[in-house]
Amino acid sequence: MILTKHLQLLPCTLQHFELFLQGSDVLANHLGISISENWIEYPEVILVTYDKLRNDPTLLGWFFYMVIHQEKRELIGAGGFKGKPDANGIVEIAYEISPEHREQGLGTEMAQALINFAFGHSYVKSVIAHTEEEYNASVKILQKIGMSFAGAMKNKDDEALWEWKITREQFEKDLVLHAAERPEQ
């Protein structure tokens, strides 16, 4: 589990997926939360991610997280990693917040938490993300958390995307800079 000021990022276990597949109310009762109606844009991804985790249980922690607003005790989004870091130490983040919870800094908080988690593992050398080829809210989030434009690319479906990246070196440099900006306690 990853905790931030406002969020709890709960890794979705096989049990969580199975409860959700019985009905969102079953998962909500189990976790003691409510579930935002639009917490995930593409609910069909639940079955796909469940199958992936079932086939490779080592993905847990490097895969799908449920995003729970701590104060409201409400499931408001999803995110995580698109898999374990590759042989070069690169891992990709993905995130979404329900429309009614946007413009509150929660997407930025979640993305920063994922990067912090990733770089908490010494074998992670860089974190990447992909966005649509337009200046949108996702791009703003990635820029706020220190990611830089790494270039345009095409995905496997031949869709044009922008790639964003932060290296361990840049992450650590940013930590030092931000620590120096904080007033003495």
Side-chain angles (χ1 to χ4, degrees):
M1 177 181 352
I2 302 170
L3 293 174
T4 70
K5 182 176 180 180
H6 300 102
L7 304 174
Q8 175 185 1
L9 280 63
L10 184 63
C12 201
T13 65
L14 288 174
Q15 180 189 22
H16 293 133
F17 280 118
E18 290 161 359
L19 292 169
F20 183 77
L21 292 171
Q22 293 175 41
S24 59
D25 57 326
V26 176
L27 177 64
N29 288 336
H30 175 77
L31 295 175
I33 61 170
S34 62
I35 297 181
S36 176
E37 189 174 321
N38 301 310
W39 75 278
I40 190 165
E41 188 171 350
Y42 302 104
E44 60 273 11
V45 79
I46 297 292
L47 196 52
V48 174
T49 43
Y50 171 63
D51 284 339
K52 281 186 177 184
L53 184 60
R54 204 172 54 185
N55 290 325
D56 184 1
T58 67
L59 284 172
L60 188 65
W62 288 108
F63 202 42
F64 191 88
Y65 282 80
M66 296 177 288
V67 180
I68 300 168
H69 192 286
Q70 290 190 70
E71 185 180 325
K72 295 178 181 180
R73 297 297 304 148
E74 180 180 6
L75 180 59
I76 63 165
F81 304 93
K82 292 196 174 178
K84 297 178 277 190
D86 68 13
N88 297 315
I90 300 170
V91 67
E92 182 175 352
I93 62 169
Y95 50 89
E96 73 173 293
I97 295 288
S98 64
E100 62 270 22
H101 292 92
R102 292 180 185 161
E103 303 293 326
Q104 299 172 35
L106 299 173
T108 303
E109 192 172 318
M110 176 177 35
Q112 185 65 64
L114 292 170
I115 287 177
N116 293 350
F117 175 87
F119 285 126
H121 297 81
S122 61
Y123 49 90
V124 174
K125 305 298 179 215
S126 58
V127 177
I128 62 170
H130 293 100
T131 65
E132 294 176 353
E133 228 180 17
E134 64 181 51
Y135 191 74
N136 58 24
S138 287
V139 168
K140 291 177 189 175
I141 287 171
L142 297 174
Q143 289 174 327
K144 282 182 196 173
I145 62 173
M147 294 186 91
S148 300
F149 180 70
M153 61 166 292
K154 299 271 187 181
N155 68 9
K156 65 182 180 213
D157 298 323
D158 205 37
E159 298 168 319
L161 298 174
W162 283 343
E163 184 169 280
W164 299 84
K165 182 177 185 176
I166 186 168
T167 63
R168 174 175 292 282
E169 180 180 54
Q170 186 60 48
F171 174 77
E172 290 173 352
K173 181 181 169 188
D174 289 350
L175 280 179
V176 170
L177 280 174
H178 292 301
E181 292 171 358
R182 280 188 228 120
E184 295 280 330
Q185 296 284 340

